[in-house]
Amino acid sequence: RAAAHACRSPPGSMGIALGRPAAGPRFAKGVWYDEHGRPERSVYDDLRDGFQASRPLDRRVKLADAPHPGFDGYYEDEVVMAFVTKSPCAAEHLLVVPKDRSLRSVRDLGPEHEDLVIHLRRVGEAQLRLRAARADSPAYVPGGAGPEFEFSFHVPPFNSIDHLHLHAFALPFNTVARRVKYWPGTPWCMTHERALARVRQPESNR
């Protein structure tokens, strides 16, 4: 896997991904690091830039307008990017990822990140509402009532990618096993509410 990062195939191609930015020499949990251990690039950067052949993404399609089922659709602002995860676990399942890749997990969040934590949820909820309001969404509820939402982070060492990301769900979950994977309050899953409380009162979490 480490050797494979030197060249990637762009969407729809089996050839070499020409133009992919060079990445650091060490790869671990979805992140490339330079010789000093600083994160240079993550698999989410690859996804955004079109260098994941197994997970094509058309950034020209707005996330709110992307068809169901499917994995197209992209949202971006100055702080975060958002898209459909490659393995949806609920009726709607989005990832909201800060552009600051130095944040590896929820454990790296401090009081200075309060605005970011709030923004992650605001973006996730706004995009979920837009998608779930469409009749082709698995989360669509006739009559305008709308589905229930959940927002959570996986806690190390149970996170799969060392680039912080918020899971945004429109319920229900697809299976019981996937519900358990994101069960609130377990050692492996922290709700957004809990993460925000930790950021606001760090002394109480020691």
Side-chain angles (χ1 to χ4, degrees):
R1 179 71 177 89
H5 79 265
C7 58
R8 295 290 185 86
S9 298
S13 169
M14 295 301 290
I16 294 175
L18 298 177
R20 182 190 183 279
R26 187 172 72 86
F27 179 83
K29 291 188 77 170
V31 178
W32 287 270
Y33 298 89
D34 67 16
E35 61 271 20
H36 303 292
R38 295 174 298 214
E40 282 193 337
R41 189 174 181 85
S42 80
V43 293
Y44 297 138
D45 296 309
D46 267 12
L47 175 62
R48 176 197 61 212
D49 296 338
F51 294 114
Q52 284 197 18
S54 63
R55 172 61 171 88
L57 175 68
D58 188 345
R59 292 173 57 188
R60 298 169 298 178
V61 179
K62 291 183 179 179
L63 183 55
D65 299 333
H68 298 83
F71 300 103
D72 266 337
Y74 182 75
Y75 171 88
E76 182 177 27
D77 61 25
E78 299 83 1
V79 181
V80 302
M81 51 186 168
F83 42 84
V84 178
T85 180
K86 68 178 181 180
S87 300
C89 292
E92 293 279 1
H93 184 179
L94 308 179
L95 295 185
V96 189
V97 183
K99 292 181 178 180
D100 180 0
R101 66 182 68 88
S102 69
L103 297 171
R104 300 185 184 185
S105 77
V106 68
R107 297 295 191 196
D108 291 331
L109 296 172
E112 68 274 20
H113 299 117
E114 180 177 349
D115 288 346
L116 171 64
V117 175
I118 292 171
H119 186 64
L120 288 168
R121 170 157 180 165
R122 283 178 177 167
V123 168
E125 184 167 348
Q127 294 301 310
L128 285 175
R129 288 192 184 281
L130 290 170
R131 289 175 60 84
R134 294 169 40 196
D136 67 336
S137 170
Y140 176 71
V141 178
E148 183 180 354
F149 299 142
E150 279 191 17
F151 305 89
S152 60
F153 301 93
H154 272 138
V155 179
F158 303 101
N159 60 319
S160 59
I161 306 295
D162 272 348
H163 183 167
L164 178 70
H165 50 282
L166 174 70
H167 292 270
F169 303 101
L171 304 185
F173 283 91
N174 298 340
T175 66
V176 172
R178 291 182 173 184
R179 163 74 278 185
V180 171
K181 182 178 180 181
Y182 297 96
W183 197 274
T186 57
W188 57 86
C189 188
M190 184 185 298
T191 64
H192 177 273
E193 291 82 3
R194 176 58 177 158
L196 184 58
R198 288 173 59 88
V199 164
R200 286 174 168 170
Q201 296 181 316
E203 295 297 323
S204 66
N205 297 303
R206 289 185 176 179

